[in-house]
Amino acid sequence: MSAADKKAAYEKFENVFKNDLIEQILGHAKKYKLPQEYQVWFEKSLRANTLGGKCNRGMSVPDSAAQLLDRELTQEEYFSTATLGWMIELLQAFFLVSDDIMDGSITRRGEPCWYLQPEVGMVAINDAFMLESAIYMILKQYFKAHPAYIDMVELFHETSFQTEIGQLCDLLTAPEGRSNLHNYSLEKYTHIVVYKTAYYSFYLPVALALHYNNIATPKNLKQSEDILILMGEYFQVQDDFLDCFYGTKDVIGKDGTDIQDNKCSWLVNQALKVATPEQRKVLEDHYGKKDDADVAKVKALYDELDLKGKYHAYEEKVVGELKDMIAKVDETEGLKKSVFETFLNKIYKRSK
C-alpha cells in the first residue's frame, strides 16, 4: 500500500469518529442534562485523548473483517466494523489517560498528558471513566440487535480486566523511582506483556471481526488467541529492543526511556539471567537512574552481553513458530491465514 493509500485509509477511519461517533456520544450525555459548558469539556476530552494516534488496533477490525470475508466491505459493513475499531481506540484512550497519571508521565503524542493540561488535573480520572463508558454506549447504540451483542460486551469487559491485571503486575513489579531488580523475572515480564498489551492490541480486533461476521466459534477463537497472544508478546519484546537501541524520535517517534523509568523490560531480564555478580552490580547501581551517565553504563553492559544478538536470535525463533502456527490454521470454520500473515508482516523487522 502506497503512502497516499495509507493516508486515505487512515482519514476514512478517522472520519467515522469525527463525523458520527462523537455526535452520538455527546447526544447520549445530553439526555442526562449535562450543562453545555461541560459538554464542551467532554468533547475536548474525547478529541484530545482518542484522536491523534496511529489507530493500528482500531483499523485492524475492518481490515480483518474484509480478509475473513475475502472481499471488500460494503459501506455499511465498513462503518460498523470501523465503529467497533473506535471502541478499541476508546479503550486505549481510557488506559492511556489512567496510565499517564499512574506513571507520572509528562507528554503523550507530543502534547502534555491530559491530566497536566490547563485546569484538568485529577478530573482526568473521571474523564478516563467516561471514555470507557462511551464504549458500551456505542456498542448498545449500534449493535443491540446483532446476534453477537452480548459476546462483544463480554469480550470488552474481559479484555479490560486482562489489561488491568497486566497493569497491576507492571506497577507492583517495577514501581517508578524504586529499583528492585530482585523483583524482576522473565515470567513476570511475560505475564505483564501478555495481559497488558497482547490481548487488547492483537486478539481483541480479530475476535471482534469474527463476532461481527457471525463466524466466531470456540475453535477459531482459540486458534486466533494462541497465535495473536504470542505475536503480541513478540511485538512488546521488539518494542523494548527498539526503545533501547533505536529510541530516538526520528526512528520510533519517541525517546527511549525504559532504562531511566526502571521498566521490567525484556532486555534487563535477559541481562539478569546471564550476568556475573560484577555485571549485576552494574545494573543495581545504574538501572532506573535518570542521569545520562547511568544510562550509558547500562547500555554498555547490554553491548557487552550481546543483547542485540540475543534479540535477533529470539526474533527469528518466534517468527518461525508463528509461521508454523499460521500454516496450521483450519480455514473450514471461516478463519483465514491471511489475517495473521497481515499482522505479522506489519511488525516483522519493523524499525518504528
Side-chain angles (χ1 to χ4, degrees):
M1 185 183 289
S2 69
D5 288 340
K6 287 180 181 178
K7 184 182 178 185
Y10 182 90
E11 289 176 351
K12 180 181 180 182
F13 180 73
E14 189 178 54
N15 284 338
V16 170
F17 191 73
K18 284 182 172 179
N19 299 341
D20 295 277
L21 300 184
I22 289 177
E23 186 177 337
Q24 287 293 332
I25 295 167
L26 293 175
H28 196 72
K30 289 174 187 176
K31 292 179 184 177
Y32 301 107
K33 299 181 172 57
L34 184 67
Q36 175 63 31
E37 63 192 295
Y38 303 143
Q39 290 177 34
V40 171
W41 178 285
F42 187 23
E43 180 173 1
K44 184 179 178 183
S45 170
L46 283 167
R47 291 183 179 276
N49 294 309
T50 310
L51 294 166
K54 296 177 184 175
C55 295
N56 289 334
R57 296 168 181 84
M59 293 175 71
S60 293
V61 182
D63 289 349
S64 297
Q67 287 175 321
L68 290 167
L69 293 170
D70 201 22
R71 61 169 173 78
E72 288 189 15
L73 300 176
T74 65
Q75 187 173 343
E76 181 182 349
E77 288 169 340
Y78 178 81
F79 179 82
S80 294
T81 53
T83 296
L84 288 170
W86 276 109
M87 292 179 215
I88 300 179
E89 296 298 324
L90 281 163
L91 187 66
Q92 161 91 334
F94 161 54
F95 291 148
L96 294 184
V97 172
S98 306
D99 193 54
D100 286 343
I101 296 170
M102 287 181 261
D103 288 349
S105 299
I106 305 301
T107 60
R108 172 68 64 184
R109 296 170 181 165
E111 298 290 332
C113 294
W114 180 243
Y115 79 100
L116 291 176
Q117 294 199 18
E119 300 181 9
V120 177
M122 290 302 105
V123 178
I125 296 172
N126 194 66
D127 290 336
F129 296 158
M130 292 181 74
L131 292 167
E132 184 192 25
S133 295
I135 297 166
Y136 300 99
M137 185 278 292
I138 296 174
L139 197 52
K140 183 177 180 181
Q141 176 79 21
Y142 289 100
F143 296 96
K144 184 70 183 289
H146 194 285
Y149 172 63
I150 292 301
D151 291 314
M152 291 191 281
V153 170
E154 291 181 349
L155 179 61
F156 271 104
H157 281 307
E158 192 68 18
T159 305
S160 297
F161 186 64
Q162 288 165 328
T163 308
E164 289 150 9
I165 286 283
Q167 174 74 340
L168 177 65
C169 191
D170 192 14
L171 291 168
L172 296 180
T173 300
E176 179 79 13
R178 285 189 285 129
S179 182
N180 181 6
L181 300 180
H182 294 286
N183 207 23
Y184 291 0
S185 70
L186 278 169
E187 290 74 22
K188 284 182 181 175
Y189 173 78
T190 299
H191 184 279
I192 292 166
V193 302
V194 164
Y195 289 101
K196 184 176 176 178
T197 300
Y199 272 101
Y200 93 94
S201 299
F202 286 81
Y203 175 66
L204 180 58
V206 175
L208 284 171
L210 286 166
H211 282 302
Y212 175 78
N213 286 349
N214 284 317
I215 55 173
T217 66
K219 182 177 179 180
N220 63 30
L221 285 170
K222 183 66 170 66
Q223 277 197 309
S224 299
E225 181 179 15
D226 290 344
I227 294 168
L228 293 164
I229 296 310
L230 179 58
M231 201 178 297
E233 183 181 344
Y234 160 49
F235 174 84
Q236 188 58 55
V237 171
Q238 189 180 58
D239 209 54
D240 291 356
F241 173 76
L242 293 172
D243 179 277
C244 177
F245 291 107
Y246 301 96
T248 54
K249 287 182 179 176
D250 58 327
V251 177
I252 62 171
K254 63 178 182 178
D255 290 320
T257 59
D258 283 358
I259 294 171
Q260 297 94 313
D261 293 344
N262 191 38
K263 291 294 185 183
C264 179
S265 77
W266 184 83
L267 293 167
V268 75
N269 278 292
Q270 290 293 330
L272 289 168
K273 190 169 72 169
V274 298
T276 65
E278 293 78 13
Q279 290 169 329
R280 185 183 180 93
K281 183 73 165 54
V282 172
L283 289 171
E284 289 172 348
D285 289 345
H286 302 285
Y287 197 78
K289 306 284 178 63
K290 303 293 184 184
D291 193 274
D292 288 346
D294 290 297
V295 175
K297 291 273 189 184
V298 175
K299 288 189 175 183
L301 178 60
Y302 285 177
D303 286 336
E304 186 180 326
L305 295 172
D306 189 28
L307 292 193
K308 279 187 181 180
K310 285 182 170 57
Y311 167 76
H312 291 305
Y314 161 83
E315 181 173 51
E316 294 311 311
K317 178 177 178 290
V318 76
V319 169
E321 290 173 6
L322 285 166
K323 287 180 177 178
D324 287 344
M325 293 170 75
I326 293 168
K328 293 173 184 173
V329 165
D330 182 359
E331 295 189 335
T332 59
E333 294 184 4
L335 204 54
K336 294 285 194 300
K337 295 180 177 70
S338 61
V339 172
F340 309 108
E341 289 165 348
T342 297
F343 270 88
L344 187 56
N345 289 338
K346 285 179 182 176
I347 63 174
Y348 180 50
K349 299 284 189 185
R350 74 185 174 103
S351 61
K352 60 182 180 179

